[in-house]
Amino acid sequence: MHKRNIALLYGISLLQGMVFYGPISTLYRQVQGIGIFQILLIESISYALCIVLEVPWGVVADRIGYKRTMLICCWLYFLSKIVFWQSTDFAGFLAERVLLSVVITGLSGVDTSILYLCAGPQESQHVFGVYNSLGEAGLLGAAAVFTLFVGDDYRLAALLTVFSYGAAALLSLGLTEVRPAPAERAAREPFKATLRASLAAPGLAALLVASGLLTEVHQTVTVFLNQLQYERCGMTSTAIGAVYIVTSLLGLCGAFSARFTGAAGPRRAARLLCLAPALGCLVLMATDRAALSVGCVWLLRVSDSLFQPYRLRLQNAMVRTGNRATALSIHAMVVDTVSIVTNLAFGALAEWDLRAALGFGAVAAVTALLLLERVRRRTGLQEVG
């Protein structure tokens, strides 16, 4: 049962990674008349909804079960891609992100809880790495299709994404429940007790803020600002698509996250994974050369791919309550709060000057490093940083 769940989640991750419009996601919206500030404003609204929905969804998931939650969210994910495909204005793209917020908060902590409970603490970082890497493999395959066959037909790219998410929704029907039925569990823990237990681990708050900063730097620079940087460098749509293929391929290195942190040591690994995006943003800010710009985006991609499985293992290991989905949703709420502030700053700065936004990314990454160092000094948790 456990191996089957892991295999199905691997398949879902692969299919949901197949976003065929990924290489031109910013340009796609701009063709429909949506500016960069509006794009990032929609992202911020999405994050705000995530904060509102995180904890309620976590409570629901712990009560109705992880399988049912996955089913609901996978089918809503499918619906959100249909909405995106049909969107032609700000309202349409906003509606898509609203649906996506419901999905993200529903899945938050549920997919990783299933993987953690099925794989066990010792193997979880490896499983998280493979899970994330398969999502990147989906992106790679979709980017290859876009570059070789889709080209400038942006609407076709959106339609193909609808098909891949529909297949993922069908795959979710095969999942089995791993959370015990209510009758088999101990007396239901009051929410206040779950809240206290969720944030009780030493250094957790600083870890979550650092995670939010690093994740948002990667998300904003490699998904939105990179395309503006590429245009600034004079790259064509075909070249952007080809670069995106390699960027997706580099995301597969997340499967080696456990090996990387083991070889470098957790403290050194944490430092490297903060300094790499800081350096990448600084170089992007200073250059208009295509080769350097592409290399820096690749550096951000590698560092984030190695960091995410590492921080997922730490967060799951810090859960001190049976209501795992609720606890992880509370964690995600903290991260989302950081993301909203960071994303609005990126949007305002990018509208004014792209280089200012990239400089802000460097500052955010260095701040994450200082937070992780503070966690280590105050708590003695060597594996945090």
Side-chain angles (χ1 to χ4, degrees), residues 111-125:
D111 54 350
T112 54
S113 289
I114 294 174
L115 291 172
Y116 188 80
L117 293 172
C118 289
Q122 297 302 317
E123 295 297 321
S124 61
Q125 186 173 345

Side-chain angles (χ1 to χ4, degrees), residues 265-299:
R267 180 180 178 183
R268 183 179 298 172
R271 287 179 173 176
L272 290 173
L273 296 178
C274 292
L275 291 174
L279 176 62
C281 287
L282 286 174
V283 176
L284 283 169
M285 180 178 65
T287 189
D288 58 1
R289 295 185 179 182
L292 270 177
S293 297
V294 169
C296 289
V297 170
W298 287 348
L299 180 63

